Amino acid sequence: MAATGRRDSSEQTGLFSSASHYGSTESSGEHDRPTNSNDTNHNKPNILTPAAGHWVSANQEEEDIRRKLKYFFMSPCDKYHAKGRKPFKLVLQLLKIVIVTAQLTVFGISNQVAVTFKEENTMTFKHLFLKEYDPSSDDSFAVYTQQDVYDHMFYTIEKYLTLPETTVGRYAYVYNVGVNGSALSLCQQYYKKGQIDPANDTFNIDPLVVTDCIGVNPLSVPQTQLTSSYKNFTLKFHKLINVTIQFQLKAINIQTIINNEIPDCYTFHITIVMDNQAHSGKVKIWLENKAMIRECKDPSVSGHAESYTRVAFDVAVALVCLLSLLLCGRSLLRGVVLQQEFVQFFKESLDRKVCWADRLEFINGWYILLIISDIFTITGSIIKIGIESKTISTYDICGILLGTSTLLVWVGVIRYLTFFQKYNILIITLRVAFPNVIRFCCCVAVIYLGYCFCGWIVLGPYHVKFRSLSMVSECLFSLINGDDMFVTFSEMQESSTLVWVFSQLYLYTFISLFIYMVLSLFIALITGAYETIKHQTQESIHITDLHAFIAECTDAPTSGKFRGVETSPCSFFCCCDRTTTYEDVLLVN
């Protein structure tokens, strides 16, 4: 009976209407009241009719729990009208968006200065220590004769020994870091036994790797008891694997003064590798540079006193996020307590079980998102304080944590847009399309991985974009989006006619399948979900037991009847209440 009227009311509102805003109107609540011919009997004792899914009367206990549920799913504005409690949590989240973004901006500027300083020094070291270095041939920089290997090796050591007289920058040697207490280590790795005779097609190799090293000290240091001079270092080319030159240099990044920061002291760990592992006649050469940041001893900047403003700001951000974490955790706990109360009431009073869909509506997914964001921000702030105090130098980890937390905080802004019906279409469309999109992606991933493995094995030796599995995936994903199609076709080597023909079939079938079919079907899934939402008001929708139970409460937020309602026992920070709307809970499901 009453279910018919309630269903008609719900069908007219749909997902965009205030059917989920329980008590969001200032009227007497007639839009929430089921319209039926027996409406005059709504004050009689309530019994849930399983067939119709509605309640016919209400005792005091039912009215109390119904009013609790209605208050639980109200928007912050309705809660303010219902109890007069100001939305402290809403204000706190908006404040957190501002300060977290400001913190990330400040860290981004400092991180950019540090990364730029390292990259510029790496380029300087390549020009200083690599003979005839050309930036355009960085990936293919190599030598092909034994004399060239010796020349490059001696050139690097000589440039290192005369560094103070040649370089524009200010660098200092680091002693006692190499073999035999030296400053520079010159090492070669080779097989213990290696006899290769291409003329007779024979070889005899012992794969055990032997490392032979000597130490070299700068000329300004008195000669220590080194075993031999680097000029007498002989390379065993017939079984050579690689040659490495390792040393450390110190420098100070004074450009941080521009950002009103104390300059950083760097220690660069430089490794120059001459790779002969392939024994193809080509010895590849590259330079690796790892930077360690340490606190400078007795820093002194004229006109600048030591400031703890940034550290104090980071501590404030961490405290705000800790408060947000506690409030969100308390709200989740209140939801669980109210869920148990609702389930127990259904079981004892109505002898019915609550489905999992209704149970999950008490768990707010946005709060879980905010808790994760708060944990990342607090951890990142602690690391940032360590970086600013020069005790640690994990810029990358700190950047990932702060960047991810800021992303989650800004995504959380959508939660407040869902309070407005016209802005809620994106969230509802994603929620409706998400299950079908996941199933579709699982099917597509099987085909995509098949193409990845096939392209890597067959085309890898002949195409630079298929040399590794990750490069294959990047190339194919670019092709799906229409990027670098001609370049991918044109860079295919024609050294093997069979492989070239296979590559054409491979690329044409992949592009045709994924662009014209897979991509179109993917868009169709999203469009179909949007059309479903668009026509929701003309179609009947499923009303769950929880929705029907709450809809029986017709009290408006300004009625004053919610003043004595508590969604859960009073707990820590009980002066603030949750700021969740019913749409937020729907997103969890």
Side-chain angles (χ1 to χ4, degrees), residues 145-268:
T145 65
Q146 296 183 12
Q147 186 60 44
D148 286 340
V149 174
Y150 278 113
D151 290 344
H152 280 73
M153 183 176 66
F154 295 150
Y155 177 86
T156 299
I157 298 176
E158 290 170 359
K159 286 296 181 179
Y160 171 79
L161 297 176
T162 60
L163 183 65
E165 292 79 23
T166 57
T167 182
V168 177
R170 182 66 176 173
Y171 299 103
Y173 298 116
V174 180
Y175 304 101
N176 300 320
V177 293
V179 295
N180 300 324
S182 61
L184 181 145
S185 297
L186 173 61
C187 302
Q188 64 170 329
Q189 288 185 328
Y190 53 87
Y191 296 114
K192 183 176 182 180
K193 184 178 181 181
Q195 297 179 355
I196 303 176
D197 189 0
N200 298 323
D201 296 332
T202 60
F203 63 90
N204 184 9
I205 297 177
D206 185 348
L208 181 63
V209 177
V210 178
T211 302
D212 184 16
C213 298
I214 64 170
V216 179
N217 271 324
L219 300 179
S220 58
V221 178
Q223 289 294 329
T224 57
Q225 307 236 344
L226 298 178
T227 54
S228 60
S229 172
Y230 71 92
K231 291 286 187 180
N232 300 324
F233 192 68
T234 304
L235 301 178
K236 302 174 175 58
F237 285 100
H238 61 286
K239 52 184 179 180
L240 179 67
I241 299 176
N242 60 53
V243 178
T244 58
I245 303 174
Q246 295 177 321
F247 55 91
Q248 298 180 18
L249 295 174
K250 286 186 176 182
I252 299 177
N253 182 13
I254 61 174
Q255 64 177 332
T256 56
I257 298 178
I258 301 176
N259 299 325
N260 200 24
E261 296 181 26
I262 298 298
D264 298 324
C265 291
Y266 286 74
T267 300
F268 296 106

Side-chain angles (χ1 to χ4, degrees), residues 308-337:
Y308 297 97
T309 305
R310 296 195 177 188
V311 175
F313 179 72
D314 294 333
V315 172
V317 172
L319 292 177
V320 170
C321 291
L322 179 61
L323 178 61
S324 172
L325 188 148
L326 294 176
L327 292 177
C328 292
R330 186 206 62 166
S331 298
L332 287 177
L333 181 60
R334 285 189 168 185
V336 173
V337 172

Side-chain angles (χ1 to χ4, degrees), residues 504-573:
Q504 303 302 300
L505 295 175
Y506 173 87
L507 293 175
Y508 277 114
T509 55
F510 177 83
I511 293 173
S512 302
L513 176 63
F514 276 81
I515 291 183
Y516 302 126
M517 295 181 62
V518 172
L519 202 58
S520 300
L521 289 174
F522 185 83
I523 297 174
L525 288 177
I526 307 296
T527 306
Y530 174 75
E531 292 297 329
T532 301
I533 301 301
K534 184 178 180 181
H535 299 291
Q536 189 72 49
T537 55
Q538 285 112 26
E539 299 177 2
S540 60
I541 60 175
H542 175 67
I543 303 298
T544 65
D545 290 342
L546 177 62
H547 303 165
F549 186 80
I550 300 176
E552 290 293 327
C553 181
T554 59
D555 299 327
T558 56
S559 63
K561 296 182 179 180
F562 293 92
R563 297 285 176 173
V565 175
E566 291 294 339
T567 56
S568 67
C570 187
S571 59
F572 190 55
F573 296 112

Side-chain angles (χ1 to χ4, degrees), residues 243-478:
V243 178
T244 58
I245 303 174
Q246 295 177 321
F247 55 91
Q248 298 180 18
L249 295 174
K250 286 186 176 182
I252 299 177
N253 182 13
I254 61 174
Q255 64 177 332
T256 56
I257 298 178
I258 301 176
N259 299 325
N260 200 24
E261 296 181 26
I262 298 298
D264 298 324
C265 291
Y266 286 74
T267 300
F268 296 106
H269 298 255
I270 303 169
T271 302
I272 299 175
V273 181
M274 301 180 184
D275 187 12
N276 189 45
Q277 188 174 4
H279 284 267
S280 60
K282 176 182 178 180
V283 178
K284 293 179 286 186
I285 302 176
W286 69 83
L287 183 145
E288 297 176 354
N289 179 29
K290 296 181 180 179
M292 297 295 295
I293 304 176
R294 292 183 174 86
E295 183 179 6
C296 296
K297 299 178 181 179
D298 300 326
S300 177
V301 181
S302 300
H304 289 268
E306 189 171 2
S307 175
Y308 297 97
T309 305
R310 296 195 177 188
V311 175
F313 179 72
D314 294 333
V315 172
V317 172
L319 292 177
V320 170
C321 291
L322 179 61
L323 178 61
S324 172
L325 188 148
L326 294 176
L327 292 177
C328 292
R330 186 206 62 166
S331 298
L332 287 177
L333 181 60
R334 285 189 168 185
V336 173
V337 172
L338 185 59
Q339 178 205 79
Q340 294 175 352
E341 185 178 352
F342 177 67
V343 171
Q344 185 178 3
F345 172 80
F346 252 52
K347 182 179 180 181
E348 295 179 355
S349 302
L350 304 175
D351 195 21
R352 288 173 60 88
K353 292 184 177 180
V354 180
C355 63
W356 280 105
D358 284 343
R359 291 177 183 234
L360 289 177
E361 291 193 20
F362 290 89
I363 309 300
N364 194 328
W366 290 112
Y367 286 146
I368 298 176
L369 185 74
L370 292 176
I371 288 176
I372 296 174
S373 172
D374 292 334
I375 294 174
F376 284 174
T377 304
I378 294 172
T379 308
S381 299
I382 295 174
I383 297 176
K384 185 173 181 290
I385 292 174
I387 292 176
E388 291 175 346
S389 61
K390 313 306 178 186
T391 56
I392 55 179
S393 59
T394 53
Y395 276 89
D396 293 337
I397 297 177
C398 183
I400 292 174
L401 291 174
L402 293 182
T404 305
S405 65
T406 307
L407 170 63
L408 297 180
V409 168
W410 278 99
V411 170
V413 176
I414 301 178
R415 169 175 176 260
Y416 303 106
L417 295 179
T418 57
F419 297 154
F420 307 96
Q421 300 170 6
K422 293 183 179 180
Y423 295 96
N424 201 23
I425 185 170
L426 173 63
I427 295 299
I428 296 181
T429 303
L430 292 177
R431 177 171 60 85
V432 173
F434 185 75
N436 291 331
V437 169
I438 293 299
R439 287 189 287 266
F440 179 76
C441 290
C442 291
C443 298
V444 172
V446 176
I447 305 175
Y448 186 82
L449 288 176
Y451 269 93
C452 286
F453 283 107
C454 179
W456 175 41
I457 297 300
V458 180
L459 305 183
Y462 304 94
H463 201 297
V464 67
K465 291 186 177 182
F466 292 81
R467 294 294 165 81
S468 65
L469 196 59
S470 60
M471 294 179 66
V472 174
S473 179
E474 294 168 0
C475 177
L476 295 183
F477 190 80
S478 299

